[in-house]
Amino acid sequence: MKIIFFEVPKVEQDFFIKSLEKHEVICYEEKLNIENISMAKDAEVISVFVNSVINKEIVDAILNLKFITTRSTGFDHIDVKY
């Protein structure tokens, strides 16, 4: 499974990569937005933090997307109804 993390500081990236070593894991420091959506084009799972706004446009652009997770307690940056 291809899992792509956004908004992960460099010092935390090894943790995710090693913890999920059975999967293809990519970590970016950048937030996910429509301008850099190509970074997530093959993702099956995306993991974001509070600055990545996940809306219809983002979801529709990631064709293989199966799951969205946030590493925050709030989720108002994700259009959960869509």
Side-chain angles (χ1 to χ4, degrees), residues 47-79:
S47 177
V48 297
F49 199 54
V50 296
N51 293 311
S52 295
V53 177
I54 308 303
N55 55 27
K56 178 186 184 313
E57 189 176 21
I58 296 286
V59 171
D60 288 346
I62 307 172
L63 302 178
N64 296 325
L65 188 62
K66 295 177 174 78
F67 189 76
I68 300 167
T69 184
T70 184
R71 299 179 320 279
S72 63
T73 54
F75 53 89
D76 59 337
H77 56 288
I78 300 172
D79 185 347

Side-chain angles (χ1 to χ4, degrees), residues 34-47:
I34 201 63
E35 287 81 31
N36 66 7
I37 194 67
S38 63
M39 297 166 87
K41 66 178 180 171
D42 298 330
E44 294 173 86
V45 175
I46 58 171
S47 177

Side-chain angles (χ1 to χ4, degrees), residues 2 11 21 33-34 43 78:
K2 187 167 189 176
V11 298
E21 64 185 20
N33 57 45
I34 201 63
I78 300 172

Side-chain angles (χ1 to χ4, degrees), residues 3-50:
I3 306 168
I4 302 182
F5 289 84
F6 290 88
E7 298 180 78
V8 180
K10 286 220 183 279
V11 298
E12 296 176 13
Q13 291 181 9
D14 279 346
F15 170 79
F16 291 112
I17 293 167
K18 290 177 183 175
S19 296
L20 297 164
E21 64 185 20
K22 293 182 181 180
H23 302 281
E24 181 181 355
V25 176
I26 300 171
C27 296
Y28 295 109
E29 291 184 278
E30 297 88 348
K31 66 181 180 179
L32 177 60
N33 57 45
I34 201 63
E35 287 81 31
N36 66 7
I37 194 67
S38 63
M39 297 166 87
K41 66 178 180 171
D42 298 330
E44 294 173 86
V45 175
I46 58 171
S47 177
V48 297
F49 199 54
V50 296

